[in-house]
Amino acid sequence: MPQYRLKEKVLNDSEYLLMSDVNPNSFDARYFGLIAQAQIQHVVEPVFTWVD
């Protein structure tokens, strides 16, 4: 998949750049770019976490 290219940008209060360092194969902002706050419907919070 092509990656989203963003040279330099200061995000305003209603913009988010979603990225993950947990999974190198994550489908995140590197592919779909910035999202607006209005697009966020829910926030997921972990119930259980563990360390390998």
Side-chain angles (χ1 to χ4, degrees):
M1 290 185 75
Q3 290 190 356
Y4 182 77
R5 300 287 180 205
L6 186 63
K7 299 217 185 242
E8 263 188 49
K9 168 105 170 116
V10 175
L11 303 180
N12 66 39
D13 291 341
S14 65
E15 294 177 315
Y16 291 84
L17 186 67
L18 305 178
M19 299 188 76
S20 172
D21 63 351
V22 176
N23 182 350
N25 297 320
S26 175
F27 183 70
D28 58 23
R30 292 172 283 189
Y31 299 103
F32 55 77
L34 300 174
I35 66 165
Q37 182 178 14
Q39 293 176 282
I40 299 173
Q41 297 177 359
H42 301 283
V43 176
V44 177
E45 295 185 28
V47 176
F48 298 105
T49 61
W50 61 89
V51 178
D52 291 336

